[in-house]
Amino acid sequence: MLIISDEDIEKHVSMREAIDIVEKAFREYAKGFVKMPPRSTIMLERFGGSLSLMPSYLEESGALATKIISIYPKNRKRGYPTTAAWIVVNDPETGVMEALMDATYLTALRTGAVTGVASRCLAPRSPKIAAVVGCGVQGRMQAWAMAEVFNLEKINAFDISRERIECFARELEGTLGIDIHISENCEEAVENADIIATATTSKTPVVRRNWLSKDVHINAIGSFYPDHRELDSEIIKDAKVVVDSREAVLDEAGDLLIPIREGKITRDHIYAELGEILLGIKKGRTNGDKLTVFKSVGLAIQDSSVAKMVIDKMRKR
Ligand SMILES: NC(=O)c1ccc[n+]([C@@H]2O[C@H](COP(=O)([O-])OP(=O)(O)OC[C@H]3O[C@@H](n4cnc5c(N)ncnc54)[C@H](O)[C@@H]3O)[C@@H](O)[C@H]2O)c1
């Protein structure tokens, strides 16, 4: 059995490879070659956290894996990550356990990767200015993925913690070689952006419709509880909304469930799943689209597909 650390994955898997493998997984999902029960979550209200189990099997890729993920937004103060995860990979033929791996880095990588895939389908042509709201672990990968698929000139960064934006700017200017602008508030960060990623732990909207005047695409990845959201109802109402999975977002995504409860939209407002666009069943961004939103709650297929690629690479080495 292979034991694989976050450091191994960081060293051996690039964002480009993660984007390609995650895109393949979404195609497989849209073709119906995937087994993926809904995420099973235990809420630990007393400690302000949650623990989820995420199994999936991708038939074409032969990837069978289960992720355990904990989300504890107050953990930063304790010196632990907000999002921490582990994956068990099994051989689909025998069920034998092939690998046990850290998946904290992998989770951030695959969450960035799906933003890369969705942004290629939905962003306005040749975006130059990106905005990242929430400069934590996921925010870094959101920036990396957008920079990987587009030739960006600038990334506006905003977080409620000035210290975190400054750290984000220092780190990413070095690694991505793109100008990172420290925004004083969220409105300033998003108003001129062509593409936005929200990756916060906020329970209430961080981006407002009336701040957006240009044609823009938003990747909203931060919230996956029914009563939390990062975008206001007006954004969702005006946007062409694409999701990772209809079933999953209608179960978990406050970004959509709250406007549905308010009567602002119905379930039919969801235009497509990402896989449907990748297979050409539905169109991605068209010239008439002013505002597009990709809402991702995160699917187990992203984890299993990347985990399989990791063990294939490790075995070769
Ligand atoms: N969709 C997915 O697949 C997926 C995967 C992993 C994590 N997540 C979610 O992403 C979120 C971020 O996770 P992380 O691991 O990066 O956490 P993190 O604690 O490292 O970063 C979150 C950042 O958001 C900032 N923030 C909180 N409220 C804000 C606000 N109102 N405006 C601006 N910034 C704000 C915090 O200061 C912090 O820097 C979590 O809610 C987590 O559940 C989603």
Side-chain angles (χ1 to χ4, degrees):
M1 184 181 72
L2 293 171
I3 309 267
I4 298 169
S5 67
D6 279 333
E7 291 72 27
D8 290 328
I9 300 172
E10 192 170 349
K11 211 155 100 195
H12 296 291
V13 185
S14 67
M15 178 58 81
R16 175 61 57 174
E17 288 170 313
I19 289 173
D20 291 345
I21 206 83
V22 165
E23 177 170 329
K24 187 166 171 274
F26 272 87
R27 286 174 186 274
E28 232 175 295
Y29 178 57
K31 285 190 267 180
F33 295 145
V34 158
K35 291 187 180 168
M36 182 173 60
R39 180 174 12 232
S40 166
T41 298
I42 297 174
M43 296 299 297
L44 293 132
E45 290 88 356
R46 197 173 146 201
F47 305 106
S50 69
L51 187 84
S52 303
L53 197 65
M54 301 173 66
S56 67
Y57 172 48
L58 292 96
E59 221 173 298
E60 277 182 350
S61 317
L64 175 65
T66 304
K67 182 166 88 170
I68 301 174
I69 179 168
S70 68
I71 310 269
Y72 279 71
K74 291 181 197 149
N75 259 6
R76 275 188 164 271
K77 286 189 199 124
R78 300 172 176 131
Y80 295 127
T82 299
T83 309
W86 305 267
I87 289 183
V88 171
V89 183
N90 297 79
D91 179 340
E93 215 175 305
T94 60
V96 168
M97 185 165 158
E98 287 192 284
L100 175 64
M101 59 179 82
D102 277 338
T104 301
Y105 180 81
L106 185 149
T107 296
L109 182 71
R110 64 65 144 162
T111 306
V114 76
T115 279
V117 177
S119 301
R120 278 200 295 223
C121 299
L122 294 166
R125 187 184 290 240
S126 310
K128 294 287 171 223
I129 303 175
V132 173
V133 183
C135 298
V137 175
Q138 314 304 321
R140 282 166 169 71
M141 292 296 191
Q142 295 296 305
W144 186 13
M146 293 188 288
E148 185 70 37
V149 295
F150 300 120
N151 209 355
L152 297 177
E153 283 169 5
K154 184 170 83 154
I155 298 177
N156 296 334
F158 177 69
D159 194 290
I160 44 171
S161 156
R162 177 80 187 195
E163 191 191 328
R164 275 182 217 157
I165 323 181
E166 284 173 1
C167 179
F168 174 96
R170 267 196 311 276
E171 253 180 67
L172 293 196
E173 264 178 355
T175 52
L176 300 182
I178 296 176
D179 175 30
I180 310 280
H181 170 74
I182 295 179
S183 301
E184 292 305 320
N185 54 55
C186 191
E187 180 173 357
E188 186 200 308
V190 300
E191 65 187 352
N192 286 319
D194 305 302
I195 180 163
I196 299 167
T198 58
T200 73
T201 42
S202 178
K203 296 179 181 175
T204 52
V206 291
V207 183
R208 304 260 165 209
R209 176 69 182 104
N210 59 359
W211 297 344
L212 309 170
S213 49
K214 289 172 74 176
D215 288 2
V216 64
H217 169 63
I218 306 176
N219 298 291
I221 70 99
S223 86
F224 66 91
Y225 300 130
D227 56 342
H228 291 192
R229 59 173 167 169
E230 297 184 292
L231 307 179
D232 72 5
S233 297
E234 302 309 313
I235 292 181
I236 296 295
K237 192 166 136 268
D238 288 355
K240 178 168 172 175
V241 176
V242 175
V243 299
D244 49 6
S245 150
R246 278 192 183 82
E247 188 189 355
V249 297
L250 290 173
D251 208 22
E252 297 182 330
D255 283 295
L256 294 166
L257 292 170
I258 296 169
I260 290 174
R261 285 203 292 274
E262 291 172 345
K264 299 251 168 72
I265 58 162
T266 64
R267 291 166 161 241
D268 296 339
H269 186 68
I270 297 172
Y271 165 75
E273 289 186 343
L274 180 58
E276 293 173 312
I277 293 179
L278 293 171
L279 292 189
I281 300 166
K282 294 274 182 77
K283 284 201 169 95
R285 193 180 195 95
T286 58
N287 286 340
D289 292 327
K290 298 227 152 298
L291 175 61
T292 51
V293 167
F294 174 61
K295 176 61 206 167
S296 135
V297 287
L299 301 186
I301 54 166
Q302 294 165 243
D303 303 303
S304 299
S305 56
V306 177
K308 173 79 166 68
M309 177 174 70
V310 169
I311 61 168
D312 287 348
K313 279 186 152 222
M314 292 314 225
R315 286 212 191 286
K316 259 191 202 150
R317 287 181 64 232

